[in-house]
Amino acid sequence: NAGVTQTPKFQVLKTGQSMTLQCAQDMNHEYMSWYRQDPGMGLRLIHYSVGAGITDQGEVPNGYNVSRSTTEDFPLRLLSAAPSQTSVYFCASRYRDSEQYFGPGTRLTVT
Amino acid sequence: AQKVTQAQTEISVVEKEDVTLDCVYETRDTTYYLFWYKQPPSGELVFLIRRNSFDEQNEISGRYSWNFQKSTSSFNFTITASQVVDSAVYFCALSEFVGNEKLTFGTGTRLTIIP
């Protein structure tokens, strides 16, 4: 199993540009999540999904969209990037009552 | 609201010393779960342990041990005979029930082991 994979690993955007961070898992996990990690603030939940076709907002959802058309994939879309979205983004997945398995992260810089 | 406090921002110890990382939490829930994650310099998040609120037994795994005390709302992590490979940022986290997406993370403790 590849586990949780994220692409790209690094990305630089200009303010106002849009992009999609990709996340995929091959463990048939029902639950998937996106977190952002900022210096001195730990990780904060952006959006999550409890199954294909079902998504919900986390603690910091503004500026981000998600969809879950398949069990495997959970992309995170930035509609109009802002410097405040400069962060490291982690995707995670889990199966029912297991712990979260995190992907390797995407480092995003918005200039 | 849930809150996790890791008051130690950075700790440095000499190799082979023991070190304890503190974690204090706040929650109104009677059932909750506590976690520790390790983030080495490579950046990935590595799961270390999960503990539920009904189990206050201390746990030991090799050089790692965890002390859970509901009376003081603490879930401290001790590394015995530290090694350079233990250098990382360690996060404590809390959720209402196991697997809840809404993990509340502490701000992390950066541990540096000096050879």
Side-chain angles (χ1 to χ4, degrees):
Chain A
N1 286 350
V4 180
T5 58
Q6 292 183 236
T7 56
K9 289 188 177 181
F10 302 94
Q11 183 70 49
V12 178
L13 289 178
K14 293 186 177 179
T15 298
Q17 286 185 320
S18 63
M19 80 158 296
T20 299
L21 307 186
Q22 301 292 343
C23 174
Q25 52 90 10
D26 60 358
M27 298 173 282
N28 201 32
H29 285 173
E30 301 163 298
Y31 301 84
M32 297 186 74
S33 310
W34 277 101
Y35 290 82
R36 60 177 288 174
Q37 182 180 18
D38 300 298
M41 299 189 73
L43 279 79
R44 293 180 292 169
L45 180 66
I46 305 171
H47 285 287
Y48 65 97
S49 168
V50 299
I54 305 170
T55 64
D56 205 348
Q57 296 181 350
E59 181 184 355
V60 289
N62 292 340
Y64 307 95
N65 277 356
V66 292
S67 60
R68 184 96 179 270
S69 57
T70 67
T71 300
E72 295 77 21
D73 301 299
F74 190 44
L76 178 71
R77 297 182 185 85
L78 283 70
L79 303 177
S80 179
S84 61
Q85 293 179 304
T86 294
S87 187
V88 180
Y89 291 84
F90 287 96
C91 180
S93 73
R94 67 174 178 89
Y95 179 72
R96 292 184 185 174
D97 62 351
S98 77
E99 69 277 5
Q100 301 270 17
Y101 292 83
F102 285 88
T106 294
R107 185 174 294 273
L108 175 68
T109 301
V110 182
T111 61
Chain B
Q2 298 178 328
K3 184 179 179 181
V4 176
T5 301
Q6 295 180 256
Q8 304 154 308
T9 305
E10 296 190 27
I11 301 175
S12 295
V13 300
V14 176
E15 194 173 19
K16 297 184 183 178
E17 288 185 349
D18 300 346
V19 58
T20 294
L21 309 183
D22 297 333
C23 173
V24 175
Y25 62 91
E26 296 176 26
T27 179
R28 297 177 188 172
D29 300 312
T30 56
T31 302
Y32 52 89
Y33 291 81
L34 295 162
F35 304 79
W36 276 95
Y37 283 87
K38 174 182 180 181
Q39 187 174 43
S42 52
E44 74 271 24
L45 284 157
V46 178
F47 167 77
L48 295 178
I49 189 171
R50 176 183 74 201
R51 210 82 183 128
N52 72 58
S53 54
F54 297 111
D55 185 359
E56 289 193 68
Q57 284 192 353
N58 291 335
E59 178 145 347
I60 298 175
S61 176
R63 296 184 297 105
Y64 295 171
S65 63
W66 290 269
N67 183 295
F68 177 27
Q69 292 192 342
K70 287 180 74 172
S71 60
T72 57
S73 298
S74 65
F75 186 44
N76 296 337
F77 173 30
T78 297
I79 301 174
T80 302
S82 60
Q83 300 176 1
V84 173
V85 293
D86 296 326
S87 295
V89 179
Y90 291 86
F91 291 97
C92 181
L94 167 71
S95 74
E96 292 174 331
F97 51 87
V98 66
N100 186 329
E101 308 320 300
K102 298 180 182 179
L103 275 175
T104 299
F105 282 81
T107 52
T109 297
R110 181 178 299 278
L111 175 65
T112 301
I113 308 300
I114 303 167

